[in-house]
């Protein structure tokens, strides 16, 4: 059952990536929507789950929040390091933040997250059918956003279309592999919570520092802002229906 559900996640991820490809003539709207989806996933899905799963505090602060801040700073450090390296090799200042490696790294993080989604599906079905169904609904619903964001992130940083499609396919396959892996191990809940916090920080940095500024750079239109709000509202709807 867990593998069948993961197959649904596979199809939803591909559907999200296909949608991102088809609306390239409205790039600012795509980026605005992607930023809203990422913001919603972080604030309404990842962080609450991370805080619940990680549990313990470190010097008065929940461990998940410390890792959230660490993920944000890590993403910033990686991007600045790659930008400085490009500058040292003669890259133009205006294009420093378009290092293709940043896009691939971000998409790779999305793939890792999707694999953890598959692990969550398998682990939930180990607990019981009701828990498995609830988790499955949440994962399958938001995997559309994962596929959309994976393709958008890879393309935004100047990677070729074939690379973006390759990362999309990897992201689609990841839940299947994650679900299959639960036949061999059980992931400790605090570890899962820490991972979600760290990944949430990375995702928020990309949304706030890269995706949304780019969306409004050439097209500061009201429609772009509405797409961002719609993306966050969609995640809220998914979380509410699957809760």
């Amino acid at each position: 059952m867990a593998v069948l559900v993961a197959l649904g996640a596979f199809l939803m991820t591909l559907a999200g990536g296909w949608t991102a490809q088809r609306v390239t003539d409205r790039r600012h709207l795509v980026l605005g929507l992607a930023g809203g989806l990422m913001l919603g996933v972080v604030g309404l899905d990842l962080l609450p789950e991370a805080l619940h799963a990680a549990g313990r505090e470190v010097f008065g602060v929940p461990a998940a929040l410390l890792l959230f801040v660490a993920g944000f700073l890590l993403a910033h450090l990686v991007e600045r390091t790659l930008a400085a390296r490009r500058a040292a090799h003669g890259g133009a200042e205006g294009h420093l933040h378009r290092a293709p490696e940043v896009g691939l790294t971000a998409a790779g993080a999305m793939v890792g997250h999707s694999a953890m989604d598959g692990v969550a599906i398998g682990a939930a079905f180990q607990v019981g059918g009701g828990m498995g169904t609830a988790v499955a609904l949440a994962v399958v619903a938001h995997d559309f956003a994962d596929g959309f964001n994976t393709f958008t992130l890879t393309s935004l940083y100047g990677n070729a279309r074939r690379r973006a499609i390759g990362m999309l396919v990897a992201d689609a396959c990841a839940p299947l592999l994650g679900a299959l892996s639960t036949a061999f191990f059980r992931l400790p809940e605090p570890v899962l919570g820490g991972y979600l916090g760290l990944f949430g920080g990375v995702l928020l940095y990309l949304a706030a520092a890269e995706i949304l500024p780019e969306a409004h750079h050439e097209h500061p239109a009201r429609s772009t802002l509405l797409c961002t709000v719609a993306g966050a509202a969609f995640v809220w709807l998914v979380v509410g229906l699957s809760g």
Side-chain angles (χ1 to χ4, degrees):
M1 180 61 71
V3 175
L4 287 176
V5 171
L7 182 60
F10 170 87
L11 295 174
M12 285 296 286
T13 302
L14 291 181
W18 180 84
T19 301
Q21 292 181 65
R22 301 295 294 179
V23 290
T24 51
D25 58 330
R26 295 288 184 270
R27 185 169 176 268
H28 59 291
L29 299 180
V30 172
L31 294 176
L33 180 62
L37 290 170
M38 292 165 74
L39 176 62
V41 166
V42 171
L44 306 177
D45 188 15
L46 291 181
L47 270 185
E49 288 294 330
L51 288 168
H52 174 74
R56 69 188 184 91
E57 294 186 351
V58 178
F59 203 61
V61 178
L65 289 183
L66 287 174
L67 286 166
F68 172 76
V69 173
F72 189 97
L73 294 174
L74 178 64
H76 179 60
L77 176 63
V78 168
E79 187 198 31
R80 290 298 88 201
T81 300
L82 290 172
R85 184 178 301 173
R86 291 198 110 198
H89 288 82
E93 181 66 29
H95 297 281
L96 293 182
H97 65 297
R98 291 294 165 260
E101 298 91 341
V102 175
L104 291 175
T105 301
M110 295 296 296
V111 173
H113 173 59
S114 293
M116 296 304 295
D117 280 347
V119 170
I121 292 173
F125 274 104
Q126 289 178 358
V127 173
M131 174 68 73
T133 301
V135 171
L137 286 173
V139 168
V140 171
H142 91 249
D143 270 351
F144 179 88
D146 284 353
F148 190 98
N149 289 333
T150 298
F151 186 88
T152 302
L153 282 169
T154 310
S155 301
L156 176 63
Y157 287 86
N159 289 284
R161 186 171 180 272
R162 59 181 178 81
R163 281 190 175 182
I165 292 176
M167 294 306 295
L168 173 64
V169 171
D171 188 47
C173 293
L176 284 169
L177 297 176
L180 285 171
S181 72
T182 57
F184 306 100
F185 76 95
R186 185 183 295 270
L187 190 70
E189 192 173 23
V191 174
L192 178 61
Y195 162 78
L196 292 176
L198 185 71
F199 179 68
V202 172
L203 212 57
L204 183 63
Y205 177 83
L206 293 171
E210 298 294 328
I211 302 293
L212 291 177
E214 179 71 14
H216 292 276
H217 176 60
E218 296 180 359
H219 297 275
R222 186 176 301 174
S223 57
T224 307
L225 178 60
L226 289 176
C227 283
T228 302
V229 174
F234 173 75
V235 176
W236 184 17
L237 178 65
V238 168
V239 171
L241 290 176
S242 61

